[in-house]
Amino acid sequence: MSFWRVLLAILFPPLSVIGKGCGSILIVFLLTLCGWVPGVIAALVILNNPN
């Protein structure tokens, strides 16, 4: 997890998980629509997952 990915996860969460698959992008996008904080948390959790 690089510094730039973390910064991107804080600023625009769906864009930070673009390399993790379509499902991850969709989940993070929907959570970001519900609120910024859930989207950031989901993006950071997905980025922290080694798989």
Side-chain angles (χ1 to χ4, degrees):
M1 191 163 56
S2 71
F3 170 75
W4 297 111
R5 287 278 181 157
V6 172
L7 186 63
L8 196 58
I10 293 170
L11 296 177
F12 191 67
L15 195 57
S16 67
V17 294
I18 202 126
K20 298 290 185 174
C22 184
S24 297
I25 296 170
L26 184 62
I27 290 170
V28 173
F29 181 73
L30 291 175
L31 285 171
T32 304
L33 285 179
C34 293
W36 178 72
V37 174
V40 170
I41 292 171
L44 290 174
V45 167
I46 290 172
L47 287 175
N48 199 27
N49 189 2
N51 296 333

